[in-house]
Amino acid sequence: MRYWLMKSEPADCAIDDLVALPNHTVGWFGVRNYQARNFMRDLMQVGDLAFFYHSSCPHPGIAGVVRICRKAYPDPTQFDPASRYYDSKSQPEAPRWLQVDVKLVRKTRLLELAELRAAPELANMRVLARGNRLSITPVTLDEWRFITGTMMGLEGHEFQ
DNA sequence: GCCAACGTTGGC
DNA sequence: GCCAACGTTGGC
């Protein structure tokens, strides 16, 4: 059981899009970085929990909690010439890019990036590291508990 | 395998 | 739009 932070551009998929979707489930398409892909391929398991993070937008920050509900499989957008995530070098018989499915656990208040940066308890959080460009980063249990508990007021909440 | 050039990310 | 940081590409 691991914890993650996953960045999504609200223009692609915002937390409210996930709220509105049937089953509140979406494929995490568009990852085009090998390290992030390898996290999904090698370490992510069904049942892992993740913060849903809004990036490249006016108010970047954590907007919700999701659960991994399907293990890594080929990202269909890599084969779609109309997609901004199309990759002409990826072949269907040897897909280069993968996605997992995530299911909304709960929408939370927006925990803005500035607020995360201001917390000494999160000084070593991977996503906050200088120069970090990974769209998927591991979160430690301590960081998870601090954010869901102290920052979100969800002490003792069972994320089923 | 090196590394310069180029591209991308993402906050500001 | 800027730009720091870092990933990727491709010639050698």
Side-chain angles (χ1 to χ4, degrees), chain A residues 109-122:
Chain A
R109 79 176 179 88
L110 180 67
L111 232 62
E112 294 206 38
L113 176 59
E115 202 175 342
L116 297 172
R117 288 202 184 283
E121 293 84 351
L122 303 179

PDB file of all heavy atoms in Angstrom, chain A residues 109-122:
ATOM      1  N   ARG A 109     -11.272  20.311   0.387  1.00  0.00           N
ATOM      2  CA  ARG A 109     -11.033  21.739   0.161  1.00  0.00           C
ATOM      3  C   ARG A 109      -9.728  21.874  -0.616  1.00  0.00           C
ATOM      4  O   ARG A 109      -8.867  20.991  -0.546  1.00  0.00           O
ATOM      5  CB  ARG A 109     -10.959  22.486   1.487  1.00  0.00           C
ATOM      6  CG  ARG A 109      -9.630  22.366   2.217  1.00  0.00           C
ATOM      7  CD  ARG A 109      -9.629  23.233   3.471  1.00  0.00           C
ATOM      8  NE  ARG A 109      -8.367  23.126   4.219  1.00  0.00           N
ATOM      9  CZ  ARG A 109      -7.299  23.892   3.986  1.00  0.00           C
ATOM     10  NH1 ARG A 109      -7.325  24.813   3.048  1.00  0.00           N
ATOM     11  NH2 ARG A 109      -6.195  23.732   4.706  1.00  0.00           N
ATOM     12  N   LEU A 110      -9.590  22.956  -1.352  1.00  0.00           N
ATOM     13  CA  LEU A 110      -8.354  23.146  -2.114  1.00  0.00           C
ATOM     14  C   LEU A 110      -7.212  23.507  -1.171  1.00  0.00           C
ATOM     15  O   LEU A 110      -7.256  24.518  -0.477  1.00  0.00           O
ATOM     16  CB  LEU A 110      -8.530  24.251  -3.160  1.00  0.00           C
ATOM     17  CG  LEU A 110      -7.288  24.515  -4.006  1.00  0.00           C
ATOM     18  CD1 LEU A 110      -6.989  23.312  -4.902  1.00  0.00           C
ATOM     19  CD2 LEU A 110      -7.448  25.769  -4.844  1.00  0.00           C
ATOM     20  N   LEU A 111      -6.194  22.643  -1.167  1.00  0.00           N
ATOM     21  CA  LEU A 111      -4.991  22.897  -0.368  1.00  0.00           C
ATOM     22  C   LEU A 111      -3.961  23.494  -1.311  1.00  0.00           C
ATOM     23  O   LEU A 111      -3.291  22.781  -2.044  1.00  0.00           O
ATOM     24  CB  LEU A 111      -4.475  21.575   0.187  1.00  0.00           C
ATOM     25  CG  LEU A 111      -4.218  21.489   1.677  1.00  0.00           C
ATOM     26  CD1 LEU A 111      -5.501  21.696   2.442  1.00  0.00           C
ATOM     27  CD2 LEU A 111      -3.599  20.168   2.025  1.00  0.00           C
ATOM     28  N   GLU A 112      -3.824  24.802  -1.272  1.00  0.00           N
ATOM     29  CA  GLU A 112      -2.998  25.463  -2.275  1.00  0.00           C
ATOM     30  C   GLU A 112      -1.515  25.188  -2.082  1.00  0.00           C
ATOM     31  O   GLU A 112      -1.041  24.957  -0.964  1.00  0.00           O
ATOM     32  CB  GLU A 112      -3.270  26.977  -2.260  1.00  0.00           C
ATOM     33  CG  GLU A 112      -4.697  27.278  -2.703  1.00  0.00           C
ATOM     34  CD  GLU A 112      -4.846  28.668  -3.307  1.00  0.00           C
ATOM     35  OE1 GLU A 112      -3.914  29.096  -4.031  1.00  0.00           O
ATOM     36  OE2 GLU A 112      -5.881  29.312  -3.071  1.00  0.00           O
ATOM     37  N   LEU A 113      -0.812  25.245  -3.203  1.00  0.00           N
ATOM     38  CA  LEU A 113       0.629  25.010  -3.195  1.00  0.00           C
ATOM     39  C   LEU A 113       1.338  25.868  -2.149  1.00  0.00           C
ATOM     40  O   LEU A 113       2.213  25.382  -1.419  1.00  0.00           O
ATOM     41  CB  LEU A 113       1.193  25.293  -4.594  1.00  0.00           C
ATOM     42  CG  LEU A 113       2.697  25.192  -4.762  1.00  0.00           C
ATOM     43  CD1 LEU A 113       3.195  23.802  -4.393  1.00  0.00           C
ATOM     44  CD2 LEU A 113       3.097  25.533  -6.192  1.00  0.00           C
ATOM     45  N   ALA A 114       0.967  27.126  -2.055  1.00  0.00           N
ATOM     46  CA  ALA A 114       1.617  28.026  -1.094  1.00  0.00           C
ATOM     47  C   ALA A 114       1.446  27.508   0.335  1.00  0.00           C
ATOM     48  O   ALA A 114       2.347  27.639   1.175  1.00  0.00           O
ATOM     49  CB  ALA A 114       1.041  29.430  -1.221  1.00  0.00           C
ATOM     50  N   GLU A 115       0.286  26.915   0.599  1.00  0.00           N
ATOM     51  CA  GLU A 115       0.007  26.371   1.922  1.00  0.00           C
ATOM     52  C   GLU A 115       0.871  25.136   2.186  1.00  0.00           C
ATOM     53  O   GLU A 115       1.393  24.935   3.294  1.00  0.00           O
ATOM     54  CB  GLU A 115      -1.483  26.000   1.959  1.00  0.00           C
ATOM     55  CG  GLU A 115      -2.084  25.913   3.334  1.00  0.00           C
ATOM     56  CD  GLU A 115      -3.587  25.674   3.278  1.00  0.00           C
ATOM     57  OE1 GLU A 115      -4.199  25.911   2.195  1.00  0.00           O
ATOM     58  OE2 GLU A 115      -4.142  25.240   4.286  1.00  0.00           O
ATOM     59  N   LEU A 116       1.026  24.319   1.180  1.00  0.00           N
ATOM     60  CA  LEU A 116       1.883  23.143   1.314  1.00  0.00           C
ATOM     61  C   LEU A 116       3.326  23.579   1.567  1.00  0.00           C
ATOM     62  O   LEU A 116       4.013  23.033   2.438  1.00  0.00           O
ATOM     63  CB  LEU A 116       1.820  22.286   0.045  1.00  0.00           C
ATOM     64  CG  LEU A 116       0.452  21.693  -0.301  1.00  0.00           C
ATOM     65  CD1 LEU A 116       0.486  21.034  -1.678  1.00  0.00           C
ATOM     66  CD2 LEU A 116       0.004  20.686   0.740  1.00  0.00           C
ATOM     67  N   ARG A 117       3.774  24.576   0.832  1.00  0.00           N
ATOM     68  CA  ARG A 117       5.156  25.047   0.981  1.00  0.00           C
ATOM     69  C   ARG A 117       5.404  25.664   2.347  1.00  0.00           C
ATOM     70  O   ARG A 117       6.533  25.665   2.846  1.00  0.00           O
ATOM     71  CB  ARG A 117       5.479  26.078  -0.102  1.00  0.00           C
ATOM     72  CG  ARG A 117       5.633  25.489  -1.485  1.00  0.00           C
ATOM     73  CD  ARG A 117       6.449  26.416  -2.381  1.00  0.00           C
ATOM     74  NE  ARG A 117       6.532  25.924  -3.757  1.00  0.00           N
ATOM     75  CZ  ARG A 117       7.322  24.928  -4.154  1.00  0.00           C
ATOM     76  NH1 ARG A 117       8.091  24.312  -3.276  1.00  0.00           N
ATOM     77  NH2 ARG A 117       7.339  24.537  -5.415  1.00  0.00           N
ATOM     78  N   ALA A 118       4.367  26.192   2.963  1.00  0.00           N
ATOM     79  CA  ALA A 118       4.523  26.877   4.244  1.00  0.00           C
ATOM     80  C   ALA A 118       4.606  25.901   5.420  1.00  0.00           C
ATOM     81  O   ALA A 118       4.934  26.309   6.530  1.00  0.00           O
ATOM     82  CB  ALA A 118       3.363  27.860   4.456  1.00  0.00           C
ATOM     83  N   ALA A 119       4.311  24.633   5.196  1.00  0.00           N
ATOM     84  CA  ALA A 119       4.284  23.664   6.295  1.00  0.00           C
ATOM     85  C   ALA A 119       5.659  23.034   6.491  1.00  0.00           C
ATOM     86  O   ALA A 119       6.142  22.320   5.614  1.00  0.00           O
ATOM     87  CB  ALA A 119       3.255  22.579   5.999  1.00  0.00           C
ATOM     88  N   PRO A 120       6.291  23.267   7.649  1.00  0.00           N
ATOM     89  CA  PRO A 120       7.612  22.673   7.906  1.00  0.00           C
ATOM     90  C   PRO A 120       7.583  21.144   7.829  1.00  0.00           C
ATOM     91  O   PRO A 120       8.573  20.523   7.433  1.00  0.00           O
ATOM     92  CB  PRO A 120       7.931  23.126   9.344  1.00  0.00           C
ATOM     93  CG  PRO A 120       7.051  24.311   9.580  1.00  0.00           C
ATOM     94  CD  PRO A 120       5.819  24.101   8.766  1.00  0.00           C
ATOM     95  N   GLU A 121       6.437  20.571   8.177  1.00  0.00           N
ATOM     96  CA  GLU A 121       6.311  19.103   8.144  1.00  0.00           C
ATOM     97  C   GLU A 121       6.454  18.545   6.728  1.00  0.00           C
ATOM     98  O   GLU A 121       6.683  17.345   6.547  1.00  0.00           O
ATOM     99  CB  GLU A 121       4.954  18.679   8.717  1.00  0.00           C
ATOM    100  CG  GLU A 121       4.790  18.961  10.216  1.00  0.00           C
ATOM    101  CD  GLU A 121       4.333  20.395  10.504  1.00  0.00           C
ATOM    102  OE1 GLU A 121       4.304  21.224   9.560  1.00  0.00           O
ATOM    103  OE2 GLU A 121       3.998  20.677  11.674  1.00  0.00           O
ATOM    104  N   LEU A 122       6.276  19.418   5.737  1.00  0.00           N
ATOM    105  CA  LEU A 122       6.323  18.959   4.345  1.00  0.00           C
ATOM    106  C   LEU A 122       7.590  19.425   3.633  1.00  0.00           C
ATOM    107  O   LEU A 122       7.675  19.410   2.403  1.00  0.00           O
ATOM    108  CB  LEU A 122       5.081  19.455   3.590  1.00  0.00           C
ATOM    109  CG  LEU A 122       3.735  19.036   4.189  1.00  0.00           C
ATOM    110  CD1 LEU A 122       2.580  19.609   3.378  1.00  0.00           C
ATOM    111  CD2 LEU A 122       3.624  17.513   4.267  1.00  0.00           C
TER     112      LEU A 122
END
